[in-house]
């Protein structure tokens, strides 16, 4: 057994116990909808968060491959990882790269312990795909900055301890943007729910009215926000959550399919596709870890993988209707199907639409 | 181009360059040069009669030759037939070989006085016009054997695929078997077909990469509406999709080479075939009428991709096989199968 096999076995053992104790119910898109702080704390206690962070901060001191093994096992099981997901995925690497030692000492141990829930504030009402149109403004004030503006589609802001806000400190477009760590709740920050077509509340509109942020909570350099945000987006886009969001649904649908469905190829194609995205993902994160921006490859992975996720929901409908089934889909399968149908349009939008991603790809190809 | 463009190790880049150089110098005599350089037998150990090197080396050669003007059983000889012979303990002859592995074609054999003679009909045999022997399976006295039979002993009906590559039908009447051995334990006819499928997937990967680059090049230089086609957003998006498809094919093939076996080969054939269909359509659409011309190189790539996708088991066949293998397990778990494969096959 390799070290990664051992790690995988540890995660599976942890998940098996969680499921045996009925501590969570598997969901599709669990990295977005499954906010469960107690789960994140238990995971942190097992040293399964921050595998690639330095040990001095409670991390595993390992490589990107370690984090990938843990991430993919958690997502495949539909475990509720949203409470620590954004903190571990993009806030932590950003802190390591750009944070002050005080910021690292404050946040990294909390992240590895599963205690930090972080929201990421990028999109605005007038800055969606065109992120450089950000208008939220930070104005220098005694000992810090005052932020005014509105962020939208912010996942989990209503549950977060802090929000990383990209705001304009001067300049035009990509220049003059800066990242701030805004602690929540805050009397000058209003978090309003945006209910999705499912009726569920995961996204928010977050308004800032001269909200004060001390200098100590500026993340990275003033004016370097665009570069930093793009680095974070690389981590956001290159992950197994781009092809495993519907795996709990697909697993539920193959149960009861029996050995001889009318269309076994539908299942075979899913296995072939996921296996291939895994290969691409492993290579992409190796490049990312080696300091390569890998922006084109990441964009290609996310675009093709999320298109697969969307198609997989259609396949789940086919599997549910397969005339060769030995038993109809379970109640759980029906629930997962319903949740996935509501979530599916977002797969190819969040984290950069596939059209934006293909724009990045074609620019790279034609350079 | 992309950091993921497959396999850039020094020795393999060198092999690629030397093949391109050979093509430039040899012209229509390329096959003789390849034989002199032992290219058809790369990937089979010298102990088994091959030219040495591993599957990755053989794949580079096969992938590079996939876009050249050449109709000869290079992939078929070493990567497919040579592997099958070596797997069954048979020594490799330094000849070109053609695999008769397509399902539903089979010869019958009778052993008389220690000599096995075969009769019957095999279809869709690639490279039979250039090769000296076919390699196929024959049931002899109830045992499935891997056999080499001389092509000179067959009545050959010559046909070609869409890309004008020779795919012959051969009829044998009591022809002697040149060499034979029982199929190695754990090996089935399906596993042999999977090896041919892997060869087609590797070739498709080479053709897809060239198809992508050719199409990008055309879109950059062809001007309409006063600007290059690639300046049109709708064309740029098509080029990006073409690159995505190529990437997936490269990844699936790379995995199949790293972990050889029927499971990964099936995945590679499925993914490259699906990618090839869509990519060929995109490439033709971007090229407009020009791509339809025989003088222009696009058709040479797309006709190959169309044929290779349908040969050696089309994607649907392999997907059904993967699905069936998965569902045959007791309490099949998708994720574990993705990570670990089934029935001892490595994922």
């Amino acid at each position: 057994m390799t070290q990664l096999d051992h790690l995988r076995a540890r995660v599976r053992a942890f998940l098996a116990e969680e499921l045996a104790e009925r501590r969570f119910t598997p969901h599709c898109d669990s990295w977005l909808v499954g906010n469960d702080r107690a789960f994140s704390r238990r995971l942190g206690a097992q040293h399964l968060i921050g595998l690639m962070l330095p040990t001095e901060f409670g991390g595993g001191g390992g490589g990107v491959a370690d984090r990938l093994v843990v991430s993919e096992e958690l997502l495949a099981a539909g475990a509720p990882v949203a409470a620590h997901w954004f903190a571990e995925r993009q806030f932590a690497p950003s802190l390591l790269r750009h944070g002050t030692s005080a910021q690292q000492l404050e946040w990294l141990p909390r992240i590895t312990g599963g205690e930090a829930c972080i929201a990421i504030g990028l999109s605005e009402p007038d800055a969606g795909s065109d992120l450089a149109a950000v208008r939220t403004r930070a104005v220098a004030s005694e000992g810090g900055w005052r932020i005014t503006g509105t962020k939208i589609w912010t996942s989990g802001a209503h549950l977060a301890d802090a929000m990383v806000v990209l705001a304009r400190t001067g300049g035009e477009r990509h220049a003059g943007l800066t990242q701030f760590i805004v602690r929540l709740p805050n009397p000058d920050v209003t978090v309003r729910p945006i209910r999705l077509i499912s009726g569920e509340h995961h996204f928010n509109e977050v308004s800032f009215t001269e909200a004060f942020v001390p200098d100590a909570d500026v993340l990275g350099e003033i004016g370097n926000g665009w570069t930093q945000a793009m680095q974070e987006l690389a981590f956001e886009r290159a992950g197994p959550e781009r092809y495993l969001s519907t795996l709990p649904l697909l697993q539920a649908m193959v149960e009861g399919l029996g050995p001889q469905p009318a269309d076994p190829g539908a299942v075979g194609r899913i296995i072939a596709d996921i296996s291939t995205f895994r290969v691409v993902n492993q290579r992409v994160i190796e490049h990312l870890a080696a300091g390569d921006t890998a922006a084109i490859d990441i964009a290609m992975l996310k675009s093709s993988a999320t298109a697969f996720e969307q198609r997989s929901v259609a396949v789940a409908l086919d599997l549910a209707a397969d005339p060769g089934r030995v038993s109809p889909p379970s109640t759980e399968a029906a629930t997962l199907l319903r949740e996935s149908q509501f979530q599916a349009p977002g797969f190819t939008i969040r984290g950069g639409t596939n059209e934006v991603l293909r724009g990045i790809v074609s620019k790279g190809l034609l350079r | 181009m992309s950091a993921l463009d497959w396999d850039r190790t020094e020795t393999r880049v060198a092999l690629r360059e030397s093949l391109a150089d050979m093509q430039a110098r040899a012209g229509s005599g390329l096959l003789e040069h390849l034989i002199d350089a032992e290219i058809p037998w790369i990937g089979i150990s010298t102990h088994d009669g091959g030219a040495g090197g591993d599957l990755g080396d053989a794949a580079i050669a096969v992938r590079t030759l996939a876009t050249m003007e050449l109709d000869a059983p290079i992939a078929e000889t070493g990567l497919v037939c040579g592997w099958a012979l070596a797997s069954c303990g048979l020594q490799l002859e330094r000849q070109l070989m053609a695999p008769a592995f397509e399902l539903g074609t089979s010869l019958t054999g009778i052993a008389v006085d220690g000599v096995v003679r075969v009769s019957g009909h095999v279809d869709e045999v690639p490279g039979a016009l250039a090769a000296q022997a076919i390699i196929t399976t024959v049931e002899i006295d109830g045992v499935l054997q891997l056999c080499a039979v001389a092509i000179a002993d067959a009545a050959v009906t010559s046909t070609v695929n869409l890309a004008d590559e020779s795919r012959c039908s051969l009829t044998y009447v009591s022809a002697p078997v040149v060499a034979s051995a029982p199929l190695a334990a754990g090996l089935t006819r399906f596993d042999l077909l999977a090896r041919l499928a892997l060869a087609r997937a590797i070739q498709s990967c080479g053709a897809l990469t060239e198809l992508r680059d050719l199409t990008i090049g055309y879109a950059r230089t062809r001007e309409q509406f006063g600007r290059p086609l690639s300046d049109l957003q709708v064309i740029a998006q098509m080029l990006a999709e073409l690159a995505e498809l190529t990437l997936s094919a490269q990844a699936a093939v790379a995995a199949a080479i790293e972990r050889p076996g029927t499971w990964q080969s099936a995945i590679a054939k499925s993914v490259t075939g699906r990618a090839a269909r869509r990519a060929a359509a995109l490439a033709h659409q971007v090229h407009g009428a020009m791509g339809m011309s025989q003088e222009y190189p696009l058709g040479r790539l797309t006709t190959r991709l169309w044929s290779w996708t349908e040969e050696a088991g089309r994607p649907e066949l392999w997907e059904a096989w993967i699905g069936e293998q998965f569902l045959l397990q007791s309490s099949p778990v998708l994720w574990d199968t993705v990570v670990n494969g089934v029935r001892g096959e490595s994922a």
Side-chain angles (χ1 to χ4, degrees):
Chain A
M1 256 182 144
T2 67
Q3 172 257 333
L4 287 178
D5 293 333
H6 274 291
L7 179 58
R8 190 181 300 284
R10 264 180 65 209
V11 186
R12 288 189 179 186
F14 168 77
L15 287 168
E17 193 188 321
E18 289 282 310
L19 283 168
E21 299 290 328
R22 295 180 179 280
R23 293 200 191 109
F24 76 87
T25 308
H27 284 286
C28 287
D29 236 8
S30 61
W31 58 279
L32 195 65
V33 306
N35 194 307
D36 179 346
R37 284 195 180 236
F39 178 89
S40 292
R41 273 195 297 271
R42 290 195 297 275
L43 192 67
Q46 297 291 319
H47 306 290
L48 291 172
I49 300 178
L51 272 287
M52 56 188 282
L53 295 176
T55 48
E56 59 187 291
F57 301 117
V64 285
D66 300 75
R67 174 162 187 266
L68 181 58
V69 163
V70 176
S71 302
E72 63 181 12
E73 288 297 329
L74 292 170
L75 294 172
V81 293
H84 70 272
W85 196 255
F86 307 104
E88 187 201 22
R89 181 177 73 182
Q90 58 213 94
F91 186 43
S94 207
L95 280 170
L96 269 185
R97 204 157 169 174
H98 305 291
T100 63
S101 53
Q103 287 169 343
Q104 292 176 352
L105 276 172
E106 177 186 359
W107 289 104
L108 291 175
R110 285 178 68 187
I111 291 172
T112 54
E115 305 272 358
C117 182
I118 302 292
I120 307 291
L122 294 173
S123 293
E124 296 184 4
D126 294 322
S129 285
D130 182 14
L131 188 58
V134 157
R135 285 202 307 212
T136 294
R137 183 161 293 277
V139 179
S141 174
E142 179 72 36
W145 299 77
R146 292 203 176 268
I147 298 180
T148 301
T150 305
K151 292 289 175 185
I152 199 168
W153 315 120
T154 314
S155 312
H158 56 305
L159 303 166
D161 301 313
M163 179 166 162
V164 179
V165 176
L166 183 67
R168 194 160 293 287
T169 42
E172 294 279 317
R173 301 287 295 170
H174 308 86
L177 293 169
T178 302
Q179 286 187 306
F180 297 90
I181 304 168
V182 180
R183 290 159 196 270
L184 298 174
N186 181 311
D188 300 317
V189 178
T190 311
V191 180
R192 274 188 296 271
I194 300 172
R195 300 217 170 261
L196 298 180
I197 50 179
S198 60
E200 289 184 20
H201 173 204
H202 308 296
F203 286 167
N204 302 279
E205 185 183 67
V206 186
S207 307
F208 304 81
T209 313
E210 298 193 359
F212 182 74
V213 179
D215 283 325
D217 285 346
V218 172
L219 179 58
E221 286 178 38
I222 299 294
N224 195 37
W226 180 264
T227 306
Q228 292 171 205
M230 289 303 113
Q231 286 166 353
E232 287 177 18
L233 269 176
F235 290 104
E236 174 172 344
R237 288 169 177 167
E241 62 266 50
R242 303 306 174 184
Y243 48 92
L244 293 181
S245 295
T246 59
L247 200 88
L249 165 67
L250 296 169
Q251 178 60 37
M253 280 300 169
V254 300
E255 280 160 20
L257 200 54
Q260 287 179 312
D263 185 12
V267 182
R269 190 177 174 194
I270 279 173
I271 293 172
D273 284 343
I274 297 177
S275 302
T276 305
F277 290 127
R278 271 189 95 214
V279 175
V280 177
N281 197 7
Q282 277 160 0
R283 300 198 173 200
V284 163
I285 61 165
E286 281 163 19
H287 283 286
L288 204 52
D292 184 347
T293 57
I296 300 169
D297 296 318
I298 288 169
M300 287 197 279
L301 169 64
K302 181 175 178 290
S303 163
S304 52
T306 56
F308 158 79
E309 284 188 329
Q310 228 158 42
R311 190 172 64 75
S312 76
V313 179
V315 174
L317 285 163
D318 291 342
L319 294 178
D322 191 291
R325 290 191 77 91
V326 295
S327 58
S330 63
T331 321
E332 291 76 22
T335 305
L336 290 166
L337 177 60
R338 191 183 155 81
E339 290 173 356
S340 298
Q341 285 180 294
F342 284 129
Q343 289 292 108
F347 295 164
T348 53
I349 297 171
R350 59 197 187 191
T353 68
N354 284 20
E355 289 68 27
V356 165
L357 295 169
R358 284 187 171 166
I360 293 170
V361 174
S362 63
K363 274 202 196 85
L365 293 172
L366 296 163
R367 205 164 31 218
Chain B
M1 206 279 313
S2 149
L4 279 165
D5 255 36
W6 186 51
D7 216 338
R8 292 191 167 277
T9 57
E10 238 172 81
T11 54
R12 290 177 181 171
V13 169
L15 175 58
R16 223 147 57 193
E17 281 166 3
S18 82
L19 287 171
D21 184 50
M22 227 180 268
Q23 183 193 34
R25 284 187 291 115
S28 59
L30 179 59
L31 180 57
E32 286 70 37
H33 281 76
L34 295 174
I35 289 171
D36 286 346
E38 301 188 300
I39 301 295
W41 302 283
I42 291 180
I44 307 299
S45 77
T46 50
H47 173 80
D48 291 320
D54 61 16
L55 177 58
D57 298 321
I60 286 294
V62 165
R63 180 198 153 138
T64 308
L65 292 168
T67 59
M68 292 187 181
E69 290 289 350
L70 177 75
D71 175 24
I74 306 298
E76 287 82 351
T77 290
L79 201 151
V80 180
C81 294
W83 165 84
L85 292 172
S87 301
C88 299
L90 286 167
Q91 192 71 13
L92 189 76
E93 299 283 333
R94 284 301 179 92
Q95 58 184 359
L96 296 180
M97 293 175 282
F101 290 168
E102 292 285 348
L103 299 176
T105 63
S106 132
L107 304 176
T108 55
I110 309 168
V112 183
D113 299 334
V115 179
V116 176
R117 291 184 174 275
V118 295
S119 299
H121 191 73
V122 288
D123 286 321
E124 301 272 312
V125 182
L129 289 186
Q132 284 80 53
I134 65 160
I135 305 298
T136 191
T137 50
V138 184
E139 199 177 296
I140 301 162
D141 294 335
V143 180
L144 202 57
Q145 306 241 9
L146 189 74
C147 296
V149 192
I151 290 174
D153 290 336
V156 178
T157 308
S158 182
T159 52
V160 292
N161 67 11
L162 291 171
D164 221 18
E165 293 178 304
S166 140
R167 301 288 186 260
C168 292
S169 295
L170 284 75
T171 305
Y172 286 101
V173 180
S174 201
V177 160
V178 182
S180 70
L183 216 54
L187 215 56
T188 66
R189 295 184 59 196
F190 218 73
D191 298 318
L192 298 181
L193 183 66
R195 188 71 175 193
L196 184 59
L198 173 61
R200 294 286 176 262
I202 295 168
Q203 291 175 307
S204 298
C205 187
L208 271 167
T209 307
E210 176 129 329
L211 181 88
R212 176 198 67 191
D213 296 345
L214 181 71
T215 308
I216 290 169
Y218 184 79
R220 291 167 97 109
T221 48
R222 168 75 174 165
E223 291 199 7
Q224 289 286 278
F225 309 105
R227 53 190 163 157
L229 287 184
S230 57
D231 278 7
L232 302 169
Q233 200 171 37
V234 67
I235 300 289
Q237 296 268 311
M238 290 162 85
L239 298 178
E241 186 182 355
L242 198 50
E244 286 171 20
L245 295 163
T246 307
L247 176 65
S248 67
Q250 289 174 341
V253 165
I257 289 165
E258 269 167 37
R259 298 184 291 278
T262 297
W263 181 257
Q264 290 293 343
S265 298
I267 290 173
K269 189 66 167 69
S270 156
V271 171
T272 53
R274 296 276 186 182
R277 287 176 185 161
R278 175 76 183 140
L282 282 167
H284 271 293
Q285 194 66 23
V286 170
H287 274 89
M290 182 57 78
M292 298 297 285
S293 161
Q294 194 177 40
E295 281 178 33
Y296 188 80
L298 180 65
R300 189 164 51 79
L301 297 171
T302 52
T303 52
R304 288 179 190 194
L305 286 169
W306 290 326
S307 285
W308 294 341
T309 296
E310 301 308 307
E311 291 171 2
R314 60 204 310 258
E316 289 76 5
L317 177 136
W318 290 110
E319 288 155 11
W321 179 82
I322 295 166
E324 281 159 11
Q325 297 302 305
F326 166 71
L327 292 166
L328 276 173
Q329 302 172 103
S330 62
S331 309
V333 178
L334 265 177
W335 176 243
D336 190 59
T337 300
V338 166
V339 175
N340 293 316
V342 291
R343 46 147 228 201
E345 293 269 10
S346 68

